[in-house]
């Protein structure tokens, strides 16, 4: 297996950002995407926003899926403050379970599951957590639940995990093929996490700079 570059790797943070100024848009605006309801308690609707270019690519990916399958969008944009809370909480959990680990090891392990806030693709509106549903909108089994941690899933959350069944593996391949064909890249520790235009995407694709940096919902994108 190719070595996985984690979000905590200094190579990711070293990628420059040349913010293109593209706006955050609501993926629910025209009903083209199936949007899961697990985040609807977010009254501001932050979760349903992504950069316009990311939405275009999601719609193009959906058009490539086999008949009877749809993308199920779960989460996109995540405010930087929320990303910080998620990261700190998971790091604290790991520190409690492994008190002998150094701060660097905690940061690296935490980044398998939650991106460090300063480089988080979700906070740039560049990342999506997405899965597959059938034609009736029912979420399909992908081998683990979405957002399963490495500990909970015994590594089954890794995109190419060899501990899942053949049907789930096939579905991951279908999802991945459609998304990759439109330019998104996967974070290999999370089968559901895909992004475009962020630092991790730039590193993986060889782009000279990221297109999107951290944003605040309701503020015009930087330029």
């Amino acid at each position: 297996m190719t070595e996985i570059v984690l979000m905590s790797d200094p190579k990711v943070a070293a990628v420059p950002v040349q913010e293109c100024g593209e706006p955050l848009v609501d993926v629910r605006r025209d009903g083209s995407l199936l949007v899961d309801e697990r985040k609807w308690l977010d009254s501001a609707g932050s979760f349903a926003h992504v950069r316009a270019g990311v939405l275009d690519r999601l719609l193009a990916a959906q058009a490539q899926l086999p008949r009877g399958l749809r993308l199920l969008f779960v989460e996109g944009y995540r405010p930087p403050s929320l990303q910080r809370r998620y990261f700190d909480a998971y790091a604290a959990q790991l520190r409690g379970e492994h008190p002998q680990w150094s701060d660097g090891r905690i940061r690296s392990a935490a980044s398998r599951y939650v991106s460090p806030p300063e480089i988080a693709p979700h906070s740039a509106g560049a990342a999506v957590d997405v899965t597959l549903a059938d034609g009736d909108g029912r979420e399909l089994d992908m081998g683990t639940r979405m957002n399963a941690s490495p500990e909970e899933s015994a590594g089954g959350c890794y995109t190419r995990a060899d501990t899942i069944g053949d049907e789930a593996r096939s579905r991951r391949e279908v999802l991945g093929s459609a998304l990759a064909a439109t330019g998104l890249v996967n974070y290999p520790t999370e089968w559901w996490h895909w992004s475009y235009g962020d630092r991790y995407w730039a590193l993986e694709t060889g782009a000279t700079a990221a297109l999107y940096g951290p944003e605040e919902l309701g503020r015009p994108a930087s330029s």
Side-chain angles (χ1 to χ4, degrees):
M1 180 182 294
T2 303
E3 182 180 358
I4 293 174
V5 177
L6 294 175
M7 288 285 183
S8 60
D9 194 305
K11 290 183 292 191
V12 180
V15 174
V17 177
Q18 294 179 1
E19 173 61 57
C20 68
E22 202 171 272
L24 290 165
V25 295
D26 194 327
V27 303
R28 301 168 296 183
R29 62 187 183 182
D30 63 3
S32 297
L33 279 182
L34 183 63
V35 180
D36 186 83
E37 296 185 359
R38 71 191 77 184
K39 295 284 185 179
W40 281 67
L41 292 177
D42 168 13
S43 60
S46 299
F47 79 97
H49 288 72
V50 293
R51 296 292 186 126
V54 176
L55 177 56
D56 289 344
R57 285 167 174 79
L58 289 176
L59 295 176
Q62 179 162 263
Q64 296 190 41
L65 290 174
R67 184 182 298 275
L69 293 179
R70 297 183 66 182
L71 292 182
L72 177 60
F73 179 100
V74 177
E75 185 177 16
Y77 174 72
R78 190 180 295 157
S81 59
L82 180 58
Q83 184 72 27
R84 167 64 65 183
R85 291 202 299 273
Y86 283 171
F87 185 83
D88 288 350
Y90 186 49
Q93 174 188 326
L94 292 173
R95 190 171 289 109
E97 295 170 351
H98 306 281
Q100 75 279 14
W101 284 6
S102 67
D103 288 346
R105 185 171 180 183
I106 291 291
R107 177 180 167 84
S108 178
S111 76
R112 298 169 304 160
Y113 184 54
V114 186
S115 299
E118 62 275 13
I119 55 91
H122 279 290
S123 295
V128 292
D129 293 340
V130 66
T131 185
L132 290 177
D134 64 19
D136 295 321
R138 291 186 295 259
E139 185 175 354
L140 298 176
D141 179 10
M142 304 291 282
T144 73
R145 73 176 184 89
M146 179 179 284
N147 291 325
S149 70
E151 292 78 20
E152 173 192 334
S153 67
C157 60
Y158 282 52
T159 305
R160 298 190 178 279
D162 58 9
T163 56
I164 62 173
D166 291 343
E167 188 172 33
R169 183 176 298 106
S170 177
R171 287 172 177 161
R172 290 188 187 188
E173 291 172 356
V174 168
L175 176 67
S177 293
L179 292 167
T182 65
L184 282 87
V185 301
N186 174 241
Y187 190 42
T189 64
E190 300 177 337
W191 60 260
W192 57 85
H193 177 106
W194 292 78
S195 68
Y196 173 85
D198 60 292
R199 282 172 159 146
Y200 196 84
W201 164 88
L203 183 66
E204 289 294 294
T205 62
T208 57
L211 306 176
Y212 310 136
E215 282 296 331
E216 293 288 350
L217 187 64
R219 182 183 71 189
S222 305
S223 59

